[in-house]
Amino acid sequence: MAAVAVLLAILLPGASAAIVWGPYVTNTSENSAVVSWRVVEEAEGWVEYAPEGGETYRTPSPGAGTIHHVLLTGLAPATTYRYRVGAGNETTGDCRFTTFGDEAFTCIIYGDTRAQKPFFTQAERHGLVAERIAAEEDILFVIHTGDFICEEEEWDEFFAVAGPMLRNTTLVPVPGNHDGAAEAFFAVFDLPPYYSFDAGSLHVTVLDSNDRAWADMDTRTAWLASDLASPLPRKIAAFHHPPFSSDLKHPGGDQGIRNEWCDILSTGGVDAAFSAHTHAYERYRAGGTEYFVVGCGGAPFYALAEEKPEGYQAGRGQTLGYVRATISADAIDLEMVAVAEVPEGDGGVVTMYPAGTVIDALRLPADAAPESTGWWAVLAALSDGTALSRLQG
């Protein structure tokens, strides 16, 4: 706990010593959001918030426990809000989030941020990725594709490392197999293990692919089919276990999830599905949907087989990174941003990539016209980003 306290002091200089998680924002919509935080000892809390240059409002926490979730309502669409939280007599520094609107926007997708002690901590690996994401400008939300932690006591470390990133965006959590029971997921994020939301022209579906889901899979699959009836032109899905993967530990990917959901994702018009679980970057194409494996947020890397499942498009092992997605009504532009290369066996010196290094890129749908004759027009001439991977890899 002493080490965690030191880490918090380094990474969260503006935060109260009493606040060990957050603040972090979830459940954002056009006119509402939930602000959360956790304190060491039970205390009353509150949130102060204001639109840029506008009147300040104050909402008390409904409880006085150690984990606080405060729902803010009556917000204006497409508006950036500054906020801070208080616990007892202590207050955090200023943070911000932006409500959803009709404009084009950028989001981040990454996952598998857990440590592998005693070999390395979240600060040593996940911290490199979180720092680069925090430096990205105007990120509307960050989707975490699961396995935030390895064991329950690692939550303090996750929130310390991710703090600078979480202070200025909305977090969209996906439950992983290491993240505890559904009740624990709800307690941390004030969200059920599967849900959906709309942001501008994008419909986002979050699914629970863990073993517990199979006890009620018929209900969940029916919900998925109904949820994808959304009329929005762009759709993505996120769940932890990849239906396609060349991971030697899970050869071919999760066949059960593939058989259960992939046809529905295709017929439902899902542009892209994002998973983790395989600790690497991979991309597959099946049934008109692009399947991304983005399990390179800091967990120990897995070896990839030379033989790939059908539909393989691109991949990279031993590389920390995240996907950056820019969404408009016409298209989704996706880039895999490499952060660092880790030597084989997870030992030795980690080599950092220059900020903004893109190792794979594509536009969905593939026939969407680029917005300009700039660099995306150059990418369109490449083979869906695979050639770019070869050039930069």
Side-chain angles (χ1 to χ4, degrees):
M1 289 303 295
V4 171
V6 171
L7 187 61
L8 279 164
I10 294 172
L11 294 177
L12 297 174
S16 162
I19 297 176
V20 290
W21 298 1
Y24 53 103
V25 175
T26 60
N27 294 273
T28 300
S29 68
E30 288 189 350
N31 50 31
S32 65
V34 172
V35 178
S36 301
W37 67 97
R38 180 178 179 270
V39 292
V40 175
E41 298 179 356
E42 290 190 5
E44 294 183 353
W46 47 263
V47 179
E48 279 187 351
Y49 62 100
E52 296 279 11
E55 181 180 355
T56 298
Y57 301 90
R58 182 179 176 116
T59 300
S61 175
T66 58
I67 298 181
H68 295 258
H69 302 295
V70 177
L71 174 63
L72 308 182
T73 60
L75 308 181
T79 301
T80 297
Y81 284 83
R82 299 281 178 179
Y83 75 97
R84 61 178 185 164
V85 306
N89 296 320
E90 300 183 64
T91 306
T92 68
D94 286 340
C95 307
R96 62 180 171 83
F97 68 91
T98 301
T99 52
F100 300 162
D102 293 332
E103 298 83 357
F105 64 88
T106 300
C107 64
I108 299 294
I109 307 101
Y110 83 129
D112 275 303
T113 54
R114 62 187 180 88
Q116 184 76 352
K117 298 175 182 178
F119 302 106
F120 59 86
T121 65
Q122 285 213 23
E124 292 174 280
R125 295 282 179 85
H126 175 211
L128 302 178
V129 182
E131 182 179 28
R132 288 286 176 86
I133 296 174
E136 294 273 2
E137 295 184 0
D138 299 323
I139 299 302
L140 188 63
F141 57 82
V142 174
I143 298 176
H144 191 300
T145 48
D147 278 3
F148 293 78
I149 59 170
C150 188
E151 298 177 345
E152 185 176 357
E153 56 267 24
E154 201 177 313
W155 279 117
D156 284 358
E157 189 175 354
F158 169 80
F159 281 109
V161 169
M165 173 188 72
L166 297 178
R167 286 203 302 265
N168 296 313
T169 191
T170 289
L171 177 64
V172 178
V174 177
N177 56 292
H178 282 278
D179 296 329
E183 294 79 10
F185 184 84
F186 181 83
V188 175
F189 298 115
D190 196 42
L191 282 164
Y194 63 100
Y195 57 96
S196 65
F197 64 92
D198 296 334
S201 59
L202 180 70
H203 182 73
V204 181
T205 303
V206 174
L207 296 162
D208 183 359
S209 60
N210 291 294
D211 288 346
R212 60 175 175 254
W214 291 97
D216 190 33
M217 185 57 82
D218 289 346
T219 299
R220 296 175 187 230
T221 299
W223 175 85
L224 172 62
S226 175
D227 181 70
L228 293 180
S230 166
L232 291 180
R234 305 271 66 88
K235 298 174 186 177
I236 65 174
F239 46 91
H240 186 63
H241 297 81
F244 303 93
S245 177
S246 63
D247 175 18
L248 290 173
K249 295 168 68 70
H250 311 95
D254 193 308
Q255 300 290 333
I257 294 298
R258 184 192 302 186
N259 294 336
E260 190 71 24
W261 290 343
C262 285
D263 285 347
I264 296 174
L265 296 176
S266 296
T267 58
V270 172
D271 296 285
F274 299 91
S275 301
H277 200 56
T278 292
H279 300 170
Y281 170 70
E282 295 188 278
R283 177 165 63 86
Y284 294 83
R285 186 175 301 144
T289 299
E290 211 77 17
Y291 290 88
F292 289 81
V293 182
V294 197
C296 39
F301 286 107
Y302 293 165
L304 302 178
E306 291 292 331
E307 184 177 353
K308 310 296 185 183
E310 185 178 355
Y312 176 80
Q313 302 296 309
R316 179 73 67 87
Q318 302 298 134
T319 302
L320 297 170
Y322 56 91
V323 168
R324 180 171 55 210
T326 300
I327 290 92
S328 66
D330 297 327
I332 303 177
D333 293 329
L334 296 135
E335 302 167 296
M336 173 58 189
V337 181
V339 171
E341 183 175 341
V342 179
E344 196 77 34
D346 292 330
V349 178
V350 174
T351 303
M352 298 297 296
Y353 286 97
T357 298
V358 175
I359 60 172
D360 186 29
L362 77 158
R363 174 179 284 258
L364 298 175
D367 58 356
E371 296 178 358
S372 69
T373 57
W375 65 278
W376 269 111
V378 176
L379 290 181
L382 299 173
S383 179
D384 290 319
T386 306
L388 182 66
S389 291
R390 292 197 297 269
L391 287 173
Q392 297 195 355

